[in-house]
Amino acid sequence: MTTILTNLFDGVAYGMLLFVLACGLAVTLGLMNFVNLAHGAFAMAGGYVCTVLVNRMGWPFFAALPLAFASAAAIGIALERTLYRHLYARSHLDQVLFTIGLTFMSVAAVDYIQGSSRVFINLPAALQGQFDVFGVGIGRYRLMIIVICGLLTIGLQMVLAKTRFGSRLRAAVDDPRAASGLGINVPQVFAFTFAFGCGLAGLGGALSAEILGLDPYFPLKFMIYFLIVVTVGGSSSITGPFLASLLLGIGDVAGKYYVPKMGPFVIYTMMIVILIWRPNGLFGRTAAR
Amino acid sequence: MFVRKPFSWAAAVAAISGLAAVVPAKAQDTVKVGLILPMTGGQASTGKQIENAIKLYMQQKGDTIAGKKIEIILKDDAAIPDKTKTAAQELIVNDKVNFIAGFGVTPAALAAAPLATQAKIPEVVMAAGTSIITERSPYIVRTSFTLAQSSTIIGDWAVKNGIKKVATLTSDYAPGNDALNFFKQHFTAGGGAVVEEVKVPLQNPDFAPFLQRMKDAKPDAIFVFVPAGQGGNFMKQYAERGLDKAGIKVIGPGDVTDDDLLNNMGDAVLGTVTAHLYSAAHPSQMNKDFVAAYKKAFGNRPGFMAVSGYDGMHLIYEALKKTGGDTNGDKLIEAMKGQKWESPRGPISIDPETRDIVQNIYIRKVEKVDGELYNVEFATFEAVKDLGKTKK
């Protein structure tokens, strides 16, 4: 029983991490209808900012996290203003080719600046190790991930559903022409949304460095995971990718624990089964646009 | 001479184009060595260490041997066998190289083997570690290691040192399976029991569930083989899950505590016992000089890949010296067989029958020396041949 709970805990933490990493992609893909395969590059940027601040400059870990978010968001804004916005009206194929090119450039650039060795974040002692709750092993770092990501998810959902900005964004997505007619500054809304998505990726990258490892190939290695989350969850809401991340995280951990011979195939099998059952993802709307 | 432009630039270019810049060489008085290494991709640290070590060797020994100028032509294969093959073809056909060398991973070394046979030129393997490699062409020599060498020794050592129950965690590819099988044979032959066996995917992001399984199996130790680079992730999560406090030790071939990364792994790695061919802390004068020179030139410690590259270059120099500069492939291979020399890792030789390396394997324990983590050697098994072949 305690083993099941320990695995459940690990799975939830892993799923939450996947969610923060991938939800920015769900936003650009689902809400803005833009295929941004360079999403992982923003996550990597956040990860490296965080490690450099913590390891080389001696910043406390928790002070480096917001900066990881901010710097990835800043890079996002800069790229959105200069490059991405010219591609909003282009076909998905153009967007894919452009962003995959960006991904390769980011890999080469980081390799050049940082070298290809894997880097690790020096965590504060308070975040290391596990403690026991009735025999269930709770990793401190993983608990922190669950808390941070849980709060983020609630906040995100509130912003989208309850705030003025959320309704402007939804209006801008559903009908950009009518929205600008109503006085909504559509490009600004998009730029802000895009930057926020990149910031989330950056935060995810910073949080994942400890567990997934950080090297220049991060964007390529984890692209497939982001895409699985968004495909399985559907990209028309935040709830979809959230539940998909949890399901995949728990499924992946449980699969590796109980049937290690199946290894990585559990997550792919789950994806295939879900997509056969619901081709538009768990929460996909069939005729969204 | 190294003909490449400042190296990182080329690496950046290579990542995009898949090709490194090559300048054609003149004159028949040069001997060309085609170096095929993963300079980009997940195995890039292997490539960089070997490239650095070869640069160092040529700085120290000069670039002329037996009246011939040595020219290195470097190609990046990103450890993808198809690219290795193309690179080897270009080197042999267009550049007319006299040696091909390098090879970061087993599939790359195997992909080039038929080309070495056809062109009748020596293939000097400086990294890849599966036993079968030297059997795939009579022109292959190896200066790195085989996994059988270290895995059998740690198996024998463990069972004699109070470790009776072991769980294994190995990467699911040829070297991982080699490591697992050779370890198991020797460990169980000595009376030990393998209580849990997990093969993890080669590109594994999170070790948590596997480590939980190890913890629940309550072994005396975990036998680990993951490619150098993932070792750090593994050790961190091993500590996070409290396996060190549960008294479960880590043993294995030395890849998990590669000198390259060891210092960043944190104190959880202290006490890890591995069997391997080289440690930056090897206490010979030659090694001290080697480590100092390497650190001075490149700013970090050499790992076992660096020393394999250094020795590979030495073997090429010595072979040319012995043939008096003759570049006939058969003569060069003959000259390489039975070579014996002192390397930074200790005395080594090339087995004349298998063309594979014979070397000491050291049992080492991770300790803190002057505030840095090192693999400190405490037992030596001398002149170990590749047991993957001697059985046949």
Side-chain angles (χ1 to χ4, degrees), chain B residues 42-354:
Chain B
Q43 308 293 327
S45 66
T46 298
K48 279 173 194 174
Q49 283 200 43
I50 293 176
E51 193 209 12
N52 286 348
I54 289 175
K55 270 187 185 159
L56 183 65
Y57 187 86
M58 293 178 74
Q59 273 166 21
Q60 290 175 343
K61 306 287 160 92
D63 58 0
T64 316
I65 190 86
K68 304 259 177 159
K69 201 170 167 57
I70 307 287
E71 182 189 315
I72 304 277
I73 303 173
L74 178 70
K75 295 224 181 214
D76 175 20
D77 67 350
I80 300 164
D82 283 345
K83 286 196 187 169
T84 318
K85 203 168 177 183
T86 321
Q89 261 161 353
E90 284 170 9
L91 287 166
I92 293 168
V93 176
N94 301 344
D95 299 307
K96 311 217 166 6
V97 295
N98 308 102
F99 296 87
I100 47 176
F103 310 101
V105 295
T106 297
L110 295 181
L115 298 170
T117 312
Q118 257 181 341
K120 295 190 182 356
I121 62 168
E123 172 179 338
V124 184
V125 176
M126 296 174 174
T130 318
S131 278
I132 47 166
I133 290 174
T134 54
E135 291 167 347
R136 291 298 169 87
S137 163
Y139 291 90
I140 295 181
V141 278
R142 170 156 50 194
T143 60
S144 47
F145 61 98
T146 70
L147 281 153
Q149 286 177 329
S150 40
S151 300
T152 52
I153 300 253
I154 193 74
D156 292 338
W157 180 87
V159 84
K160 281 186 199 126
N161 285 274
I163 294 172
K164 297 291 173 217
K165 286 197 300 180
V166 161
T168 65
L169 186 148
T170 51
S171 282
D172 196 6
Y173 74 134
N177 294 334
D178 260 20
L180 174 66
N181 293 334
F182 287 113
F183 169 77
K184 260 204 311 205
Q185 274 172 21
H186 280 243
F187 185 66
T188 50
V194 175
V195 292
E196 180 70 58
E197 187 180 312
V198 173
K199 292 182 181 181
V200 304
L202 188 53
Q203 287 288 2
N204 187 54
D206 186 6
F207 288 104
F210 298 121
L211 279 167
Q212 187 61 38
R213 211 177 154 89
M214 305 268 112
K215 192 179 182 184
D216 295 345
K218 297 194 171 56
D220 300 326
I222 309 178
F223 171 83
V224 183
F225 174 81
V226 291
Q230 283 190 24
N233 266 46
F234 172 83
M235 288 308 306
K236 287 204 125 192
Q237 296 191 9
Y238 158 85
E240 186 206 346
R241 206 141 288 266
L243 274 79
D244 52 343
K245 293 187 188 73
I248 302 169
K249 298 185 187 101
V250 173
I251 57 171
D255 307 72
V256 70
T257 56
D258 187 0
D259 274 297
D260 209 21
L261 292 166
L262 180 59
N263 219 0
N264 297 324
M265 290 184 190
D267 288 352
V269 77
L270 283 170
T272 299
V273 176
T274 51
H276 213 38
L277 55 110
Y278 175 71
S279 157
H282 181 65
S284 72
Q285 190 54 45
M286 185 181 193
N287 182 52
K288 282 176 189 152
D289 297 343
F290 172 70
V291 172
Y294 190 97
K295 266 189 180 164
K296 191 168 169 241
F298 309 108
N300 53 10
R301 281 187 211 178
F304 64 98
M305 290 299 185
V307 93
S308 301
Y310 194 79
D311 289 333
M313 207 57 211
H314 181 82
L315 184 62
I316 290 174
Y317 270 48
E318 288 305 307
L320 283 165
K321 207 190 267 177
K322 205 168 172 188
T323 62
D326 191 337
T327 53
N328 177 293
D330 292 296
K331 285 184 187 162
L332 284 172
I333 281 289
E334 269 319 304
M336 285 175 172
K337 288 180 186 170
Q339 285 276 0
K340 247 191 180 82
W341 71 99
E342 177 75 19
S343 145
R345 64 181 114 167
I348 58 176
S349 66
I350 300 296
D351 185 341
E353 268 138 47
T354 62

Side-chain angles (χ1 to χ4, degrees), chain A residues 3 6 10 14 111-112 116 118 120-121 129-130 142 210-213 217 221-222 225 253 256-258 260 264, chain B residues 8 12 40-41 44-45 48 201 203-206 208-210 212-213 215-216 229 232-233 236-237 240-241 261:
Chain A
T3 316
T6 305
D10 286 340
Y14 188 46
D111 191 284
Y112 175 67
S116 56
R118 201 170 277 209
F120 302 100
I121 290 187
Q130 262 185 330
R142 282 170 211 257
E210 171 70 10
I211 289 185
L212 304 180
Y217 303 92
K221 265 196 288 190
F222 293 103
Y225 288 90
V253 166
K256 281 174 173 169
Y257 183 86
Y258 292 105
Chain B
S8 305
T40 54
S45 66
K48 279 173 194 174
Q203 287 288 2
N204 187 54
D206 186 6
F210 298 121
Q212 187 61 38
R213 211 177 154 89
K215 192 179 182 184
D216 295 345
N233 266 46
K236 287 204 125 192
Q237 296 191 9
E240 186 206 346
R241 206 141 288 266
L261 292 166

Side-chain angles (χ1 to χ4, degrees), chain A residues 16-39:
Chain A
M16 288 287 201
L17 195 60
L18 281 181
F19 173 68
V20 174
L21 278 167
C23 81
L25 183 64
V27 168
T28 40
L29 194 67
L31 296 181
M32 295 164 64
N33 194 24
F34 184 90
V35 188
N36 180 22
L37 291 187
H39 187 72

